[in-house]
Amino acid sequence: GAIEFNYFRVQFFESAQSLPTTSGGYRDHQPRGIYCCDTQSTRDTASGSMSSGLQSFELNRRFPTDGRWQWLAGFRWVEWTDAIALQSSSTARRGGVSTRNYATNTFNDLYGMQVGADSFLYDGGGPWRIEGLGKAGVYYNNAVQYSSYAQQGGGFVPTNLAVGTNIGQAAFVGELGATGVYDLNDY
């Protein structure tokens, strides 16, 4: 048997898009609109961005068997974050440039116990083999969400709104993987 520590992190992967500036070319005409209120207004510019991040730490105890399997059990922490932001501007009817910004962020911190198995899926006796891994667990998720909206300029009364919440609840995390291994020497 053995004790193993695993840590990995995916630093924020991001995507952003800005649409071309077009006088009055973008309408906020959805019911109540994403910006909450002035649903019949037009916007000259629009842009948005999204980002996510993931990191995980685990501490496992491995239990060998007589065959080609190893069982494992341990503790795992997983953090998943997401963010979305939308921005727009227009020349307001009242004069000046009106800007609107909307942002939402979510954070999930999961703590829990997991069980799993590690095995040889293919081993022809040479230096090449394929290993398989499966893990599953029930976790406590401390989930947090925060949103904000701001409108400024263009003769409008500046508006700043923010809401947020957090909740603790049960969650599931599972992992399946296959790894190709090539031994360079006997050690």
Side-chain angles (χ1 to χ4, degrees):
I3 295 177
E4 70 177 5
F5 300 90
N6 292 316
Y7 174 79
F8 73 89
R9 179 176 184 167
V10 178
Q11 184 64 25
F12 293 101
F13 43 101
E14 301 177 2
S15 177
Q17 179 69 44
S18 294
L19 299 176
T21 300
T22 304
S23 180
Y26 306 105
R27 292 190 67 79
D28 180 18
H29 60 80
Q30 302 290 328
R32 292 192 44 87
I34 193 152
Y35 289 120
C36 151
C37 304
D38 185 15
T39 61
Q40 294 301 314
S41 68
T42 60
R43 312 303 290 164
D44 300 334
T45 66
S47 63
S49 63
M50 295 180 71
S51 66
S52 293
L54 173 68
Q55 62 180 329
S56 173
F57 168 80
E58 58 186 297
L59 170 64
N60 295 311
R61 171 76 166 99
R62 289 182 167 267
F63 303 94
T65 64
D66 293 339
R68 302 161 57 88
W69 291 86
Q70 280 192 0
W71 296 105
L72 61 91
F75 170 81
R76 188 170 193 177
W77 164 73
V78 178
E79 178 187 72
W80 181 271
T81 61
D82 284 309
I84 184 171
L86 302 172
Q87 302 85 30
S88 68
S89 67
S90 66
T91 303
R93 286 171 268 152
R94 300 176 189 176
V97 176
S98 167
T99 61
R100 294 180 180 176
N101 296 294
Y102 172 79
T104 292
N105 298 287
T106 60
F107 308 92
N108 291 279
D109 279 311
L110 296 97
Y111 307 89
M113 303 303 288
Q114 68 180 4
V115 295
D118 193 353
S119 72
F120 292 114
L121 298 177
Y122 169 78
D123 186 3
W128 169 255
R129 69 180 179 278
I130 299 175
E131 298 177 359
L133 176 70
K135 302 175 193 173
V138 176
Y139 296 79
Y140 169 77
N141 181 14
N142 181 32
V144 177
Q145 184 268 334
Y146 175 81
S147 296
S148 64
Y149 167 79
Q151 176 177 303
Q152 297 180 357
F156 293 101
V157 175
T159 304
N160 291 297
L161 305 169
V163 295
T165 188
N166 70 317
I167 188 170
Q169 59 188 14
F172 169 81
V173 174
E175 178 181 347
L176 291 174
T179 305
V181 179
Y182 184 84
D183 293 323
L184 297 176
N185 59 44
D186 291 341
Y187 302 104

